[in-house]
Amino acid sequence: MVDFIRDKLSTEFRLIEGGTTYLLFNVNNLSLFNLDHFTYKVFSKILEGDKIEDILESDQIPVFESICTKLFKNEVDKFTDDCPTTSKSMLDRLVLNVSNECNLNCCYCYAKGGNYGHEKSFMEEHVAIKTVDYFYNIYDEVNNIQFFGGEPLLNPEIIQTVCTHILCKYNKNEILKMPDFSIVTNGTIISPEILEMLHTNNIQVTVSIDGPQFINDPLRGQGTFNKIIKTIEHLKNKNINVGIECTFTKFHLINEFDVTDLMDFFYTSLELHATHIPCVATSENNDLYIDENDLTKSYTRAIKFALDSLSTNDYKLDSYTLRLLRALVYKKSIETYCPAGATTLSVSSEGDIYPCFMFTGNEKFLIGNVFDNKISPTKLLNVSETLKSISKQNDPKCQSCWARSLCFGCIGNDYMLSGSVKTKSRCEFNKNLIEFFLLNSGESLKDPIVISRIASLSEPFENNLDNLNSDF
């Protein structure tokens, strides 16, 4: 019996201690159990290899074993393979890079000013139409079509072309359902015509803004803050769903503006309860890079700040905390480490297909082109095999990791940090944050007000969150 308990504790459960709090986390079904100190110590000693007879009195052993049998029985790993296949009938997200050009030059831009190191170009109508038809010939459904760049609003005509073409296909019963439309924009380009286009097509808008003016403008360009705020006001006045994405950098820390300060700022200035604040995707030799120790401090503070505010009317949530809360509330594991190539594909302005827009222009990750008769089997195999090897289902590190049901990351960021998508560069960071979250989320998960708020934020904020790129 003790070997059975030890095996379960080491593979399917996680013991967590924090001060006077003792938890047992079920990796498979995301259940969280409070333990008393004595039971925690017994489990700990079993994990260390002690014999049960050396831990408990003889009359305690049957009772303890009975409890363990009820606790550990019938545990089945619920993970599914999150690798790309050619037999899927549904694609979660198709990213269209409609503009390989940007009117800004943000300090940390991984897209090299929006053109990904290539000539500036706009997606033309024939490429847009071909791309839509190409993917609807492969997939029965596409859940979300995201307009990206560069700055996509430099090419609004093509956005309208795509929306009109898809609506036409739907009206002709050529597709099963309309996709959701979303866009990520720097918020500096707006006009009555663009507002009408966004409103008419019900496009969910995510605006990039990095905090108050003294933070945002040095990072994104002088004068951009005021333009962005005006754009957000115009969007809200038009009843267009708007969220924000803020890139957290070393510059924020130098100016003593932490993630919690950003959450508070976006609530007080924009009335946003939930915000998406990923850390900057850049190499270690970049001045804006944040080391893992500082990252951990910042995001654990953000988790605590969010959880403490949840039962109040002025609650403030970061996307990382919200994602973990939703997983535990709905008992639904986060199955993919990164959606790139598994549930997400990206198409460049020239029609080239990549697993993610962060790999645009990188020949190693080029799958094919929409004007090819079919995706290159060799290229697809190479990319698929790479992505398959790092999926949670197939990576040996993930298979044995207690945090596998709640972790997620960004292979684009991993590639920038290490030159490889196989490194999962922030494993320890993720595990530290997840453990901290579990230790501090117990009361929130029992509060019906909190549960209701999590559900209310699922749509449309969660759609925006799922359609963004970052570790979080």
Side-chain angles (χ1 to χ4, degrees):
M1 183 63 178
V2 70
D3 290 335
F4 169 78
I5 296 172
R6 186 177 295 117
D7 178 66
K8 290 291 183 181
L9 287 173
S10 62
T11 60
E12 299 176 21
F13 288 80
R14 171 72 172 181
L15 284 172
I16 301 173
E17 176 186 9
T20 58
T21 301
Y22 307 96
L23 301 175
L24 182 66
F25 174 58
N26 186 321
V27 174
N28 295 326
N29 66 21
L30 307 186
S31 296
L32 200 58
F33 304 95
N34 284 300
L35 303 178
D36 57 35
H37 183 254
F38 175 77
T39 306
Y40 177 84
K41 283 297 183 184
V42 173
F43 281 145
S44 296
K45 288 183 177 295
I46 289 175
L47 267 177
E48 291 168 4
D50 289 11
K51 295 179 180 179
I52 199 166
E53 303 86 42
D54 297 334
I55 306 170
L56 298 172
E57 299 293 334
S58 58
D59 59 335
Q60 294 175 315
I61 293 175
V63 177
F64 182 74
E65 289 183 342
S66 175
I67 293 172
C68 289
T69 299
K70 292 177 182 178
L71 186 63
F72 297 145
K73 71 176 182 178
N74 298 326
E75 291 302 326
V76 179
D77 197 326
K78 298 178 181 177
F79 282 93
T80 57
D81 198 339
D82 56 2
C83 309
T85 69
T86 57
S87 60
K88 284 186 178 180
S89 61
M90 187 272 289
L91 180 66
D92 190 48
R93 176 175 59 146
L94 175 62
V95 180
L96 302 183
N97 191 335
V98 297
S99 170
N100 202 39
E101 183 175 342
C102 186
N103 60 316
L104 300 184
N105 190 22
C106 302
C107 294
Y108 50 74
C109 183
Y110 59 81
K112 300 177 182 177
N115 61 20
Y116 300 88
H118 291 69
E119 289 185 13
K120 295 179 180 180
S121 63
F122 290 152
M123 181 177 282
E124 297 180 8
E125 182 175 342
H126 72 287
V127 178
I129 297 296
K130 177 65 176 179
T131 298
V132 170
D133 292 343
Y134 182 90
F135 280 93
Y136 273 111
N137 282 333
I138 297 174
Y139 298 98
D140 294 324
E141 293 182 31
V142 179
N143 279 346
N144 180 276
I145 290 182
Q146 182 184 58
F147 302 105
F148 204 76
E151 171 47 52
L153 288 178
L154 287 171
N155 195 9
E157 295 82 9
I158 289 302
I159 296 174
Q160 182 60 62
T161 294
V162 170
C163 294
T164 300
H165 184 59
I166 291 175
L167 179 60
C168 182
K169 291 176 76 69
Y170 177 74
N171 289 335
K172 291 179 179 179
N173 295 317
E174 294 177 5
I175 60 176
L176 298 175
K177 62 183 284 290
M178 285 291 291
D180 293 326
F181 295 115
S182 63
I183 188 170
V184 180
T185 172
N186 62 36
T188 62
I189 299 173
I190 202 70
S191 68
E193 293 76 20
I194 287 175
L195 281 169
E196 187 61 32
M197 181 267 294
L198 295 171
H199 179 263
T200 301
N201 295 293
N202 195 27
I203 299 176
Q204 299 171 10
V205 180
T206 296
V207 178
S208 298
I209 178 173
D210 290 341
Q213 187 169 12
F214 77 95
I215 296 284
N216 179 87
D217 282 8
L219 292 171
R220 304 187 64 80
Q222 292 303 316
T224 56
F225 177 83
N226 289 331
K227 290 181 181 179
I228 294 167
I229 293 300
K230 288 181 181 178
T231 293
I232 292 173
E233 290 174 356
H234 287 310
L235 292 168
K236 286 185 173 182
N237 290 338
K238 196 71 173 175
N239 293 318
I240 295 170
N241 172 49
V242 59
I244 63 98
E245 179 178 16
C246 169
T247 301
F248 182 56
T249 69
K250 187 75 171 181
F251 186 72
H252 290 82
L253 292 178
I254 291 171
N255 285 275
E256 299 181 347
F257 215 79
D258 210 347
V259 179
T260 54
D261 299 305
L262 289 166
M263 293 163 67
D264 197 52
F265 169 76
F266 290 124
Y267 175 72
T268 55
S269 62
L270 299 176
E271 299 179 332
L272 292 173
H273 285 287
T275 49
H276 184 55
I277 310 175
C279 60
V280 64
T282 189
S283 60
E284 293 184 22
N285 59 4
N286 190 298
D287 291 341
L288 297 176
Y289 173 82
I290 307 176
D291 66 53
E292 196 162 294
N293 184 51
D294 285 338
L295 269 184
T296 302
K297 290 177 182 177
S298 291
Y299 283 100
T300 51
R301 282 193 290 263
I303 290 170
K304 187 70 166 62
F305 182 74
L307 293 174
D308 287 346
S309 75
L310 265 177
S311 60
T312 67
N313 289 329
D314 59 348
Y315 64 95
K316 308 167 188 76
L317 270 170
D318 65 294
S319 57
Y320 188 90
T321 304
L322 177 59
R323 200 165 197 170
L324 295 184
L325 281 168
R326 292 189 73 237
L328 289 191
V329 167
Y330 298 121
K331 295 290 187 287
K332 184 178 180 181
S333 298
I334 299 171
E335 294 183 356
T336 57
Y337 170 74
C338 176
T343 59
T344 293
L345 290 170
S346 179
V347 179
S348 75
S349 58
E350 303 298 323
D352 289 333
I353 305 168
Y354 298 91
C356 170
F357 49 80
M358 288 190 77
F359 297 115
T360 299
N362 189 326
E363 287 290 325
K364 293 180 182 178
F365 297 96
L366 176 62
I367 296 173
N369 187 283
V370 297
F371 289 100
D372 298 337
N373 289 329
K374 59 182 179 180
I375 291 176
S376 164
T378 303
K379 291 179 180 178
L380 177 61
L381 179 64
N382 290 339
V383 175
S384 293
E385 286 300 313
T386 299
L387 298 178
K388 185 175 181 179
S389 69
I390 62 174
S391 72
K392 291 187 187 182
Q393 184 71 14
N394 294 310
D395 189 331
K397 282 196 307 181
C398 296
Q399 290 173 338
S400 60
C401 178
W402 68 268
R404 63 184 183 270
S405 56
L406 291 176
C407 83
F408 52 94
C410 170
I411 62 173
N413 202 5
D414 292 338
Y415 189 80
M416 293 188 71
L417 286 172
S418 67
S420 171
V421 297
K422 298 182 178 181
T423 55
K424 291 190 173 72
S425 55
R426 291 205 166 108
C427 266
E428 290 305 312
F429 168 73
N430 262 318
K431 285 189 279 190
N432 288 335
L433 258 60
I434 291 168
E435 189 166 284
F436 181 86
F437 166 83
L438 292 173
L439 280 168
N440 288 274
S441 62
E443 292 304 314
S444 298
L445 294 170
K446 298 175 186 176
D447 189 334
I449 294 176
V450 171
I451 303 301
S452 175
R453 281 178 176 160
I454 293 168
S456 71
L457 285 168
S458 298
E459 303 289 348
F461 174 78
E462 191 65 17
N463 281 343
N464 280 348
L465 167 61
D466 288 339
N467 294 325
L468 295 174
N469 162 73
S470 75
D471 286 305
F472 312 126

